[in-house]
Amino acid sequence: MNSAIEGDPVRHRTDDWTGTVAETPSRLANHAWVNRNSSSDPCPKLVLLEDLGAAD
């Protein structure tokens, strides 16, 4: 992905988990905070945009 918008559903390319974008630091950032759907951890995970793709 080149950019992410808060609320976008995403899939991690290598680990194959899905989630929702919680926050992006800025439009120029190369990473986003993502809430993983399968995790019991309530804290979002910082993920590089190049590791994310659109969820189907």
Side-chain angles (χ1 to χ4, degrees), residues 17-19 34-45:
W17 51 260
T18 59
V34 178
N35 289 319
R36 297 189 302 171
N37 293 340
S38 60
S39 177
S40 60
D41 185 359
C43 297
K45 180 176 180 168

Side-chain angles (χ1 to χ4, degrees), residues 2-25:
N2 294 329
S3 65
I5 299 171
E6 187 175 329
D8 280 353
V10 293
R11 178 178 301 281
H12 194 274
R13 293 182 190 273
T14 55
D15 294 340
D16 202 38
W17 51 260
T18 59
T20 305
V21 175
E23 180 182 344
T24 53

